Amino acid sequence: MSAVFRASFATTKTRRPPDKAMGNMSRRRTKGQSPSLSQHSPLGRTSAAHESLLATQLALLKFRKDTDTIGRDLRVSPDDLRSWIEDFLRFGRFKVVEDRDSGEVARILHNLSRKFRSDSDKDSEKLVNEMVETVRKAYVAGLIPSATLFSMHLFSYYKESGHFNQGIDFWNWISEADDAPLDPVFVGAAIEMLAVYGASIQYCEDIYQRTLDQQRDISSQYHLSPGAMLPDRSKPANIKGTSLGLLQGILTARLLYGKWQSSYLTLDTSFRLRPTQMVPRILDLFAYERPIFEVLPVFYMYCRGGNVVPGQTFMALLKSMKALADHISTYTVKINIIKAIVSMLEAYVGSGGMLSTRHLNMIARTLVSALPQNHTVRSRNPAALKVEDMTRTIVDVLTNVIYYFSLGNAPPNRVTFDGIISQALLQGYPNLAKVALQDMKESNFSPEKPAALDLLQGAYLLRDSAMLKTTWACLRNLASSEQEQVLDTRSWTIMATAAKACGDDEFFQEQLQDLAPRLPSGAKTAADLADRSAFHNRFSAGQGLEGPSVDDVRAFQSFCETVQLSFERMERVQPGKYRDLTNNPVDEKTIFDWPDIGEESWQRSLYEELTHEGNQRSSRPSQVEQDLDPQHLAYAVSDTGIRLDELRYSNWKTINKLLIQTEVSEGHREVSTDAAMKEKRASPQQGSTTIDKRPNRGRSIATAQQFQRYQQDAEAERSRQMTEQEWRQRILRLRDPDYELLVHTRPLPAPPGASSNETIDPIWSPG
């Protein structure tokens, strides 16, 4: 506690009254003593109190300044952290802190725990947990003011840190504290924590329903339900009590328990209420709990409304898509997936997403992987000539991509070139790796060991002695600057193989003599192993194979033209700004060519029927409205230039498509699960029970087998001839929350003390 803080409270202590035995003598003064205003008048006592209050206010300002500094930098020593919490609790006891102070302290402790956990700082993480428990106990004891954000951050902290026992104790106390309605904001965080811990889905649903029932404004309960009609679809829905935090909490529980239908209806409600203000966490939930085939349309819904997707979330989606493309053997299908990745990038930057070098590294490597597999490295047949053309084409594409990212303050780094080199060699394009090495040197970068070994293989394939020597020099520099044994036996073996292929055995012998004191045990025999090295056998075995087919070459050239056009469109919008999607829409490419749901006319008619009240205008814009400037119209427009009523209609159609697709895929998975149980085999992949593990390890990582199943589903749907009435019935059935699902997923075990028919009271506690 600061000296000013201690002094301010020292002056407010109760003064001892004058000794009665002394009578008036206690107030007499000696001859020549000046009268003391502070001792003899009410004005003096008021002045002292004023000074005390001023000192307290100054100390409080200093505390809040320290709070801002810690919250901004997230750097604090253990002693300073303890002192900061002690000051907060002292201010709380003297009733001078406010609700905002409690919420800010909880937020900072929450963020500090994330930072220390990311840094693997166990001691600091343990200290934060101690401080969290200290402020929680003070909160329960009424020593610090209550705040919605305080409870919300504590529940989120308990969920992420795994301290579920303390979190459930806190929830039990809040639930039993009084009869006041629970705030939907922190109840959503509590439901999310309980769902991750393993509370039964019925328990979570009961909490959700009780929170809705307690709201004083009955309209909030109506608007949080599926199928609710907005007062005006063309305006923002500023309806009190419609918290996305509460929807996020119950959505977590439903996704974790595989309740796909209610999950998508909850998502539909969220986008109906806040189409331009969606919280990123909801996209994270789908990214970690649903297959990437379903996540991609949800991602486009976010971008369509100008909702900025966090860079980390976008990176996780890129990884999932890249992993899927790597598993696909059919070239045309693989190209379609990579086209979807480019569309994702276009949608991401069009909705204000910020570019990073990590995004560049992933995009560059993905584009190189679009090259058809090549085995005609050294031959001069027509296929090899086509390979040279494709190499020049991809170099032009990569040049434009790197230039665009550099405009967005995301310049290339060593990893960018390492990825291009490694992927180029993997695809069989050593000339591309050679170009990347030259650009790397011009950018003052040197390859890391894995990429350098790939370059040695490139020198072997090209029979390029200069490339061999340049790459070996890079490896020697690495060996002199790093502690690990860079020039190990494997490095020498690959170098010997490349030197022999280049006809430069003399260079190999020179290096043996020059590095004799530091040679590994197997270096001198590396030349004998050259002809038997693994990569020599792999590449020599493929020399007789044909190069890329004519169809693959055409598909690749068409793909590159599409990519170039995409980046030309992206360059028209300044990085970090929004794109006008009305006049410059994004081609939202998906993985599968899923059939459209009937004619647009009857879809619009059904939408009007389900969402239009008699006193509100139609969602279809008139021609006069289309010709007017948006700022003069009586409807709101998203940052991406789309009318809110049209945006809500587009999202409604996307949800319909997702419901139909998921019903088909989940039906097949249920059949597979039943068959696996009968044969006592492992059932198909289920959703994970935790949602905060990094990197992405959820269901969004698709396998080739899952892809094939989804592809078959799409083809089967295209072959169906459904009438308008059948489509209507299908959509209405899936959108009816009371519909008894044909597909049931087996719930997770209920926590101790909970049952499938439990109610909120009595509240259970962890075992």
Side-chain angles (χ1 to χ4, degrees):
M1 183 171 64
S2 65
V4 176
F5 185 89
R6 287 193 294 269
S8 66
F9 281 104
T11 57
T12 61
K13 290 182 179 179
T14 304
R15 295 183 176 86
R16 186 174 66 87
D19 192 335
K20 292 182 179 180
M22 296 178 63
N24 293 331
M25 292 294 295
S26 63
R27 290 188 293 274
R28 292 177 183 175
R29 57 187 175 90
T30 60
K31 185 177 180 180
Q33 182 181 5
S34 300
S36 173
L37 191 63
S38 62
Q39 294 181 11
H40 293 281
S41 71
L43 181 60
R45 290 193 294 273
T46 302
S47 177
H50 178 73
E51 292 176 0
S52 173
L53 178 61
L54 180 61
T56 301
Q57 291 175 340
L58 290 174
L60 183 60
L61 288 174
K62 183 180 183 303
F63 166 78
R64 286 175 174 161
K65 183 178 180 181
D66 293 342
T67 300
D68 292 340
T69 301
I70 297 173
R72 181 180 64 252
D73 301 335
L74 292 181
R75 289 197 302 267
V76 59
S77 68
D79 290 340
D80 288 343
L81 180 60
R82 289 191 179 92
S83 177
W84 176 62
I85 293 298
E86 288 173 0
D87 286 353
F88 170 62
L89 296 180
R90 287 191 181 95
F91 276 119
R93 284 195 292 271
F94 285 98
K95 309 298 183 185
V96 293
V97 290
E98 302 173 0
D99 295 358
R100 58 174 177 143
D101 298 305
S102 298
E104 185 66 7
V105 167
R107 185 189 70 83
I108 292 174
L109 290 175
H110 184 194
N111 289 336
L112 283 173
S113 72
R114 287 173 169 171
K115 180 180 183 296
F116 294 146
R117 190 161 54 251
S118 176
D119 297 341
S120 300
D121 189 343
K122 299 294 183 182
D123 293 337
S124 297
E125 191 178 352
K126 183 178 179 180
L127 175 61
V128 169
N129 182 58
E130 178 185 332
M131 296 298 100
V132 169
E133 287 307 290
T134 299
V135 297
R136 178 177 72 91
K137 292 175 181 177
Y139 183 85
V140 171
L143 301 179
I144 56 178
S146 62
T148 296
L149 292 181
F150 178 90
S151 302
M152 184 194 74
H153 281 294
L154 253 63
F155 284 127
S156 297
Y157 163 79
Y158 290 131
K159 176 199 67 179
E160 295 172 10
S161 65
H163 295 290
F164 293 109
N165 287 1
Q166 296 96 317
I168 292 171
D169 286 344
F170 188 42
W171 165 248
N172 289 345
W173 175 81
I174 284 183
S175 300
E176 297 176 326
D178 52 46
D179 295 330
L182 297 176
D183 194 309
V185 175
F186 73 72
V187 172
I191 293 175
E192 192 166 346
M193 179 204 69
L194 293 167
V196 173
Y197 173 76
S200 68
I201 183 63
Q202 186 60 50
Y203 184 80
C204 296
E205 293 283 0
D206 287 342
I207 296 174
Y208 175 71
Q209 190 58 49
R210 187 181 79 166
T211 305
L212 291 181
D213 294 342
Q214 287 181 339
Q215 300 308 303
R216 295 186 176 92
D217 187 356
I218 194 172
S219 65
S220 62
Q221 181 176 355
Y222 167 75
H223 285 289
L224 288 174
S225 62
M229 294 185 183
L230 292 173
D232 191 341
R233 295 169 302 183
S234 64
K235 300 289 182 61
N238 298 320
I239 302 169
K240 185 178 179 180
T242 53
S243 166
L244 287 187
L246 183 61
L247 289 174
Q248 174 183 316
I250 194 60
L251 183 58
T252 302
R254 290 167 178 174
L255 282 173
L256 288 177
Y257 280 88
K259 303 297 184 181
W260 59 267
Q261 185 185 26
S262 56
S263 296
Y264 277 119
L265 292 178
T266 306
L267 183 68
D268 181 58
T269 300
S270 302
F271 272 102
R272 180 176 67 250
L273 292 171
R274 304 282 191 274
T276 62
Q277 299 172 339
M278 291 292 292
V279 293
R281 180 63 175 164
I282 291 180
L283 179 59
D284 278 338
L285 290 170
F286 279 89
Y288 288 98
E289 294 302 322
R290 298 305 302 176
I292 187 63
F293 320 119
E294 299 176 25
V295 179
L296 189 53
V298 178
F299 167 78
Y300 283 135
M301 290 171 70
Y302 263 78
C303 297
R304 199 183 298 156
N307 300 284
V308 179
V309 176
Q312 182 180 5
T313 302
F314 182 58
M315 188 67 187
L317 296 178
L318 289 179
K319 287 181 179 179
S320 296
M321 292 289 287
K322 174 68 165 57
L324 176 61
D326 291 341
H327 280 101
I328 301 303
S329 57
T330 305
Y331 182 69
T332 53
V333 176
K334 179 178 181 179
I335 282 292
N336 288 335
I337 296 174
I338 300 178
K339 283 182 180 178
I341 293 176
V342 177
S343 293
M344 289 174 61
L345 177 64
E346 198 171 347
Y348 172 74
V349 298
S351 62
M354 298 303 297
L355 297 173
S356 72
T357 301
R358 291 184 66 216
H359 298 149
L360 169 61
N361 299 342
M362 180 60 65
I363 293 293
R365 184 155 190 165
T366 301
L367 292 174
V368 176
S369 70
L371 285 162
Q373 196 68 42
N374 174 46
H375 299 285
T376 57
V377 177
R378 293 195 304 272
S379 61
R380 299 299 300 173
N381 58 25
L385 297 178
K386 289 185 292 186
V387 166
E388 292 179 3
D389 291 339
M390 287 189 293
T391 301
R392 285 191 291 268
T393 301
I394 196 65
V395 167
D396 291 340
V397 170
L398 291 173
T399 301
N400 290 338
V401 170
I402 291 174
Y403 171 75
Y404 174 75
F405 273 84
S406 298
L407 291 177
N409 295 321
N413 59 11
R414 175 186 297 181
V415 179
T416 308
F417 295 105
D418 280 355
I420 293 174
I421 289 168
S422 298
Q423 192 68 49
L425 268 300
L426 189 63
Q427 301 299 123
Y429 293 79
N431 275 318
L432 176 57
K434 184 177 179 179
V435 173
L437 175 61
Q438 294 170 351
D439 290 345
M440 196 176 196
K441 291 173 60 180
E442 293 177 1
S443 302
N444 296 320
F445 294 124
S446 295
E448 292 286 355
K449 180 181 177 180
L453 294 181
D454 288 337
L455 285 168
L456 287 180
Q457 299 179 29
Y460 160 83
L461 292 170
L462 295 174
R463 305 300 194 254
D464 191 326
S465 181
M467 186 176 178
L468 166 68
K469 293 176 181 179
T470 300
T471 305
W472 187 254
C474 293
L475 278 171
R476 288 192 59 169
N477 290 334
L478 280 175
S480 61
S481 61
E482 297 185 7
Q483 298 295 326
E484 64 171 320
Q485 185 65 32
V486 176
L487 300 179
D488 53 13
T489 302
R490 180 169 179 264
S491 301
W492 280 99
T493 302
I494 296 176
M495 189 271 207
T497 309
K500 187 172 183 179
C502 296
D504 204 345
D505 289 327
E506 182 179 351
F507 176 71
F508 173 70
Q509 296 300 329
E510 289 175 358
Q511 296 303 305
L512 283 178
Q513 295 176 8
D514 192 24
L515 297 172
R518 293 186 291 168
L519 288 177
S521 59
K524 294 183 179 180
T525 61
D528 299 331
L529 299 174
D531 293 335
R532 299 192 298 275
S533 64
F535 86 92
H536 170 77
N537 295 333
R538 174 165 63 90
F539 285 113
S540 61
Q543 290 304 311
L545 299 178
E546 295 182 0
S549 68
V550 175
D551 291 340
D552 288 352
V553 173
R554 289 176 180 170
F556 175 75
Q557 296 291 355
S558 175
F559 163 77
C560 289
E561 292 174 3
T562 301
V563 173
Q564 295 283 40
L565 291 174
S566 293
F567 276 89
E568 287 178 9
R569 289 191 295 268
M570 284 187 275
E571 287 177 7
R572 297 172 192 157
V573 181
Q574 186 178 351
K577 302 297 182 180
Y578 291 96
R579 174 173 171 175
D580 183 359
L581 296 182
T582 299
N583 300 314
N584 189 18
V586 172
D587 184 7
E588 299 178 352
K589 294 185 183 297
T590 55
I591 301 173
F592 301 105
D593 185 19
W594 200 270
D596 292 330
I597 305 176
E599 297 293 334
E600 176 71 15
S601 58
W602 75 257
Q603 287 193 72
R604 175 78 70 168
S605 174
L606 179 60
Y607 177 71
E608 296 288 333
E609 176 185 328
L610 295 179
T611 65
H612 182 255
E613 290 182 331
N615 60 345
Q616 65 172 297
R617 59 193 291 164
S618 170
S619 65
R620 189 193 301 266
S622 66
Q623 187 60 48
V624 174
E625 290 175 328
Q626 295 179 31
D627 295 337
L628 289 175
D629 188 84
Q631 65 181 358
H632 299 300
L633 298 179
Y635 54 77
V637 178
S638 70
D639 289 330
T640 51
I642 304 177
R643 289 175 44 143
L644 288 197
D645 47 4
E646 283 297 299
L647 183 61
R648 288 185 170 110
Y649 173 59
S650 298
N651 293 338
W652 179 83
K653 290 193 297 181
T654 300
I655 293 293
N656 290 342
K657 207 166 189 178
L658 282 168
L659 285 168
I660 292 173
Q661 291 177 6
T662 309
E663 181 187 39
V664 174
S665 62
E666 289 289 319
H668 288 319
R669 189 176 64 80
E670 180 71 8
V671 172
S672 300
T673 301
D674 291 342
M677 292 176 64
K678 290 179 181 178
E679 299 178 15
K680 297 182 179 180
R681 294 184 284 104
S683 61
Q685 185 181 11
Q686 302 284 331
S688 61
T689 57
T690 180
I691 55 178
D692 283 292
K693 293 183 178 179
R694 301 284 197 252
N696 185 350
R697 300 182 185 276
R699 292 187 63 191
S700 61
I701 298 181
T703 64
Q705 183 179 6
Q706 289 174 321
F707 178 86
Q708 184 178 7
R709 190 193 71 205
Y710 272 78
Q711 195 173 30
Q712 292 171 351
D713 292 342
E715 292 174 356
E717 283 295 312
R718 280 197 300 272
S719 65
R720 297 181 63 179
Q721 300 295 326
M722 295 184 64
T723 64
E724 173 185 328
Q725 187 62 27
E726 289 173 334
W727 278 118
R728 288 174 60 92
Q729 290 177 353
R730 194 174 186 182
I731 292 173
L732 291 173
R733 173 174 55 82
L734 288 171
R735 280 187 166 273
D736 184 357
D738 297 325
Y739 170 68
E740 182 66 23
L741 296 180
L742 297 176
V743 179
H744 298 281
T745 54
R746 186 167 53 188
L748 300 172
S755 65
S756 59
N757 296 319
E758 66 188 351
T759 57
I760 296 297
D761 298 314
I763 297 175
W764 58 271
S765 61

